[in-house]
Amino acid sequence: MTFPHADHTTTEQGLVPPPGCPAHAAGGAEGVTRLHGAAAETDPMGLYEKLRAAHGPVAPVLLEGDVRAWLVLGYLENRDVATRSTQFSRDPRTWHGWESGEIDPETSPLVPMIGWRPDCVCADGVEHQRLRGAVTASLNQFDQRGIRRHITRFAHQLIDEFCESGETELVGQFTEPLPMLVLTHLLGMPDEDGPQLVHAARDLFKATETSLASNAYVLETLKQLVAAKREAPGQDIASVLMAHPAGLSDEEVQHHLRLILLAGYETTANLMANVLRMTVTDPRFRGSLAGGQMTLPEAVEQVLWDEPPLMVCPGRWATGDTSLGGQEIKAGDMLLLGLAAGNVDQAVRQDPSTRVHHNRAHLSFSAGAHECPGQDIGRVIADTGIDILLTRLPDIGLAIAESELTWRSSTWARHLTALPVKFASRVPESRDLLAPLPAPPAPTVGMPAAAPHMPVPEPRVSWQARLRRLLRLR
């Protein structure tokens, strides 16, 4: 991999600090910017813009351990890389860094994110189609009504735990546990596995010295699940993966469960936190929701444009020498998709402050053959969970000054660490125990089969109407 000359990387003022500056550690070999550390954690979006100003739509960067990579910043360039699999492979074994000794596969915290696994993310062509077909079938077995029923029950259970107190911290008490509860249930796992998996998933994405251990814990937990489902299959993702005609091995099933669990949890938890932060800190955003100018699904899409839950997506590997965004890419080079940077590229958004919530052309779920197959499940978890929270607690407000909010950033994502809120105390609502997931509907000919009898829910006043009424009273 050949980076531009060192002089080129230091021409942008502020991109690489001068010698002796406390922030000088942000610069790596030959002045190339590190995509981790204090500078990246403090203001990742600002860092992306400095890289764009210095290098254009494709910039050289360093990962943990000064591992070299190209960060794709341009919207069109991101789509080009994501959709041209013959030139940019998803198989990390193509990377020259394994042979050059640039990374130690036994100890590097990057391995859980960039290492090869027997799943569809690390495959191209026919093999990708075989594996992806099984994943798609396992996710498509659930209709959105059935999923919403489980999200609704889990959301009410979580809210019941704090609604009497009049205050809570939403990240730890709602936006993190809800997606994991739903996903573990859909995968066929016991609910009690959720809390430890939340911790392991968060740690894995940090790329710290404990990431390898967290990855091993997740894999071992899923290995036990596969063994259990071989003995007693059910109506869940694990069982469908094992029974699919693609003939997945137990190891392939295990790694696809890991993929669904980690990708679905990370993106959905961050998305919910970002939407709720906007709701309690931005009066215009909340007013648009309450007044009907913007629906909750539209608000989710707006946040997906502005604050993608996964800011950088690993990775693609060049199958041959090529050029991209003015840079010379060599065979075996690693490329990272800069989803957040691409979403604010002036080539597609002249004014980032202009609302684009009707538009789903953002990069937040990647693009091309590897576009996230579970994005609609993530959307329905976010839409349903947030709607229930705001319906039950329409007067919810930030409990601290907005300036006191803090984030934790890694190379891949930026997490709101806490979202303390307050509201009027309310009595918990009793909920029935969870019923098993319904079987997928059988094919019908002519008139559809009659829907099973469902209890008629009590009429509820929408949270928008309740919020408007509270605003009038004030």
Side-chain angles (χ1 to χ4, degrees):
M1 180 174 186
T2 304
F3 280 162
H5 191 272
D7 290 344
H8 179 61
T9 63
T10 58
T11 54
E12 170 68 10
Q13 185 176 3
L15 184 60
V16 178
C21 173
H24 190 71
E30 299 182 351
V32 179
T33 300
R34 289 192 173 103
L35 206 58
H36 61 97
E41 292 175 4
T42 304
D43 182 18
M45 293 300 291
L47 180 63
Y48 303 153
E49 291 310 309
K50 289 181 178 179
L51 285 167
R52 198 195 312 267
H55 304 289
V58 179
V61 294
L62 296 173
L63 301 178
E64 286 81 356
D66 281 355
V67 171
R68 297 169 296 166
W70 296 101
L71 177 63
V72 186
L73 302 161
Y75 179 89
L76 297 177
E77 288 76 13
N78 267 286
R79 283 202 169 273
D80 185 26
V81 172
T83 56
R84 201 149 48 103
S85 59
T86 56
Q87 180 65 64
F88 302 105
S89 173
R90 206 57 176 91
D91 188 337
R93 292 173 295 187
T94 309
W95 183 42
H96 48 55
W98 304 114
E99 298 296 329
S100 67
E102 190 166 351
I103 189 172
D104 183 351
E106 299 298 325
T107 61
S108 173
L110 291 174
V111 171
M113 299 301 293
I114 67 171
W116 182 84
R117 302 174 301 276
D119 62 27
C120 62
V121 166
C122 295
D124 297 309
V126 175
E127 181 66 0
H128 172 256
Q129 293 173 14
R130 177 181 78 88
L131 299 172
R132 173 87 174 207
V135 172
T136 301
S138 72
L139 297 175
N140 288 349
Q141 68 174 307
F142 309 116
D143 60 57
Q144 288 204 1
R145 184 178 66 177
I147 295 176
R148 285 184 190 276
R149 182 163 60 90
H150 291 274
I151 300 167
T152 297
R153 296 202 179 205
F154 280 128
H156 281 296
Q157 288 173 5
L158 291 171
I159 296 169
D160 280 349
E161 294 177 2
F162 57 72
C163 64
E164 285 185 294
S165 66
E167 61 182 11
T168 194
E169 193 285 291
L170 285 178
V171 172
Q173 300 300 315
F174 192 73
T175 66
E176 287 191 348
L178 180 60
M180 187 60 78
L181 283 169
V182 175
L183 288 169
T184 53
H185 192 72
L186 295 181
L187 263 63
M189 304 175 72
D191 295 343
E192 54 266 26
D193 286 346
Q196 186 61 32
L197 285 170
V198 167
H199 174 77
R202 274 287 191 239
D203 185 66
L204 193 154
F205 276 94
K206 293 179 189 175
T208 64
E209 63 276 2
T210 56
S211 293
L212 288 172
S214 294
N215 187 57
Y217 171 81
V218 171
L219 285 172
E220 179 59 31
T221 302
L222 295 173
K223 182 179 180 180
Q224 295 173 13
L225 173 64
V226 172
K229 291 301 176 180
R230 285 292 183 196
E231 296 294 325
Q235 190 61 44
D236 49 60
I237 292 174
S239 300
V240 172
L241 284 174
M242 286 188 282
H244 194 270
L248 272 64
S249 67
D250 282 2
E251 185 183 19
E252 288 174 333
V253 172
Q254 176 191 12
H255 279 272
H256 281 94
L257 293 174
R258 172 192 180 274
L259 171 64
I260 295 169
L261 181 69
L262 294 180
Y265 163 71
E266 174 75 8
T267 57
T268 307
N270 283 355
L271 176 60
M272 292 182 66
N274 289 338
V275 173
L276 286 170
R277 178 184 63 81
M278 291 294 292
T279 302
V280 298
T281 61
D282 188 336
R284 292 186 305 167
F285 187 89
R286 187 164 188 165
S288 295
L289 280 173
Q293 293 92 351
M294 180 170 58
T295 66
L296 189 52
E298 289 171 345
V300 168
E301 296 306 319
Q302 181 67 52
V303 172
L304 284 169
W305 273 101
D306 296 337
E307 296 187 69
L310 197 63
M311 303 183 79
V312 174
C313 178
R316 299 292 194 277
W317 288 267
T319 58
D321 293 356
T322 187
S323 60
L324 180 73
Q327 303 285 13
E328 295 302 316
I329 310 297
K330 299 298 182 181
D333 280 2
M334 183 194 307
L335 297 96
L336 311 173
L337 299 183
L339 308 181
N343 277 354
V344 296
D345 186 354
Q346 288 195 349
V348 292
R349 292 182 71 183
Q350 288 293 327
D351 182 4
S353 64
T354 302
R355 288 179 179 171
V356 285
H357 53 251
H358 295 290
N359 189 332
R360 283 192 173 189
H362 51 73
L363 299 169
S364 296
F365 295 111
S366 190
H370 287 276
E371 185 173 359
C372 176
Q375 59 183 278
D376 287 339
I377 291 180
R379 283 186 173 99
V380 75
I381 294 173
D383 292 346
T384 307
I386 294 172
D387 185 62
I388 291 170
L389 179 73
L390 297 179
T391 297
R392 290 190 57 180
L393 308 174
D395 58 338
I396 196 167
L398 192 62
I400 60 176
E402 184 178 354
S403 59
E404 295 180 41
L405 294 175
T406 59
W407 282 262
R408 180 181 66 252
S409 297
S410 69
T411 299
W412 320 108
R414 183 173 185 252
H415 310 285
L416 185 65
T417 57
L419 188 61
V421 294
K422 56 186 177 181
F423 45 85
S425 175
R426 287 170 175 81
V427 177
E429 299 181 7
S430 60
R431 297 280 153 182
D432 297 331
L433 293 175
L434 283 168
L437 283 170
T444 58
V445 178
M447 294 296 290
H453 174 71
M454 297 290 289
V456 178
E458 297 181 3
R460 301 180 65 88
V461 179
S462 72
W463 64 266
Q464 292 98 330
R466 295 169 71 182
L467 179 57
R468 285 195 293 269
R469 185 167 59 196
L470 284 169
L471 293 174
R472 284 197 299 271
L473 291 175
R474 292 178 182 175

